[in-house]
Amino acid sequence: MNTKVLLIDDHPLFRKGVAQLIEADPEFELVGECGDGARGVELALALRPDVVLIDLNMKPMSGLQVLRAIKAEAMSCRCLVLTVSDDERDVLEAMRAGADGYLLKSLEPEDLCQRVKQAACGAMVLEQNVAGLLTHALNSAPAPLLGELTERESETLGLLATGRSNKEIARILGIADATVKVHIKNLLRKLNLKSRLEAAVWALNHLRGEHGIAAAPQAPAATGRPSTASDRC
């Protein structure tokens, strides 16, 4: 199955350009596009996309409000902020609102498509300079108390750092999805972090090779049949 993409951006020319880019890639299906935040939330609920691209600076409903509204519905879609802003405050607010990635509109077209594919497979999606901003902000905060984590919470943190979804973490650890959510909630509280992406970035910068950080997932073996979206992940 192709990756279903919804595009929410109030700049018509930019939105049409990205829409054409998405439609030109055979791995994508553009299921909807709009220039209004409230309408975007309605489309997300109705169309159930795999990935939603959200402009940050929209009116009257901002990209952050759209992001929070979609996340409040506990949908499985990946939400990527696509914006012109590289302000540290905007990055932090988006991450804490539950964004699964933060991309700048200056990104090359082929790189944008690649980032969307990575996000659809459960990876964190951050441009290098944006990741640097987030790392700086996290390093400026009080040091998290890693020793307070249980063994299972540490394992969960390590898998978050590799971009695994809740379902993947549950399968790897042999536990229920609901239990994974509890572990994530507890480790965020103990580490004084606001989102799973913040936790993943913090882990990548502080714990590589320590505390059970999991190895990067291996590419799937060839199956001798046409690839699907899940195969590519």
Side-chain angles (χ1 to χ4, degrees):
M1 294 178 61
N2 291 345
T3 298
K4 297 187 292 183
V5 180
L6 171 63
L7 176 59
I8 308 172
D9 193 303
D10 65 354
H11 293 82
L13 288 178
F14 182 82
R15 187 176 72 248
K16 292 299 182 184
V18 174
Q20 291 174 359
L21 186 66
I22 295 298
E23 290 177 321
D25 192 309
E27 294 184 23
F28 293 138
E29 177 188 355
L30 183 68
V31 295
E33 60 168 285
C34 67
D36 176 80
R39 177 57 178 161
V41 175
E42 292 176 357
L43 289 176
L45 291 171
L47 301 174
R48 299 286 166 171
D50 300 307
V51 178
V52 184
L53 296 174
I54 306 170
D55 182 25
L56 198 61
N57 299 312
M58 295 189 292
K59 294 180 180 180
M61 189 175 189
S62 72
L64 284 176
Q65 291 173 314
V66 172
L67 178 57
R68 293 188 183 106
I70 292 175
K71 289 296 181 178
E73 296 293 334
M75 296 174 60
S76 61
C77 63
R78 309 282 288 176
C79 294
L80 307 182
V81 170
L82 183 59
T83 180
V84 297
S85 175
D86 59 358
D87 185 276
E88 184 176 294
R89 292 169 296 182
D90 287 337
V91 176
L92 282 174
E93 286 188 20
M95 297 303 100
R96 289 170 177 169
D100 299 297
Y102 194 102
L103 302 174
L104 300 179
K105 289 185 176 181
S106 57
L107 198 64
E108 292 294 331
E110 59 272 18
D111 291 334
L112 175 59
C113 287
Q114 184 60 32
R115 298 295 193 280
V116 173
K117 292 172 185 177
Q118 291 169 346
C121 289
M124 296 183 302
V125 183
L126 294 172
E127 290 191 59
Q128 185 174 0
N129 59 328
V130 171
L133 288 172
L134 185 55
T135 298
H136 175 267
L138 295 178
N139 286 342
S140 300
L145 301 177
L146 184 64
E148 292 188 0
L149 297 186
T150 65
E151 180 178 354
R152 190 61 98 190
E153 288 165 356
S154 294
E155 292 172 340
T156 302
L157 177 61
L159 291 168
L160 280 179
T162 67
R164 303 281 186 162
S165 66
N166 286 4
K167 288 186 178 180
E168 290 173 320
I169 294 173
R171 184 174 67 249
I172 291 168
L173 297 181
I175 58 180
D177 288 5
T179 304
V180 173
K181 293 180 181 179
V182 171
H183 288 325
I184 293 174
K185 179 180 178 180
N186 288 339
L187 72 87
L188 290 176
R189 173 178 53 80
K190 292 178 180 180
L191 297 179
N192 194 31
L193 300 171
K194 301 297 184 182
S195 73
R196 59 187 292 134
L197 188 50
E198 281 187 89
V201 171
W202 186 90
L204 286 171
N205 282 279
H206 292 81
L207 307 179
R208 178 59 65 189
E210 304 176 14
H211 304 287
I213 292 299
Q218 298 295 313
T223 61
R225 57 183 173 76
S227 63
T228 64
S230 59
D231 289 334
R232 291 188 289 274
C233 296

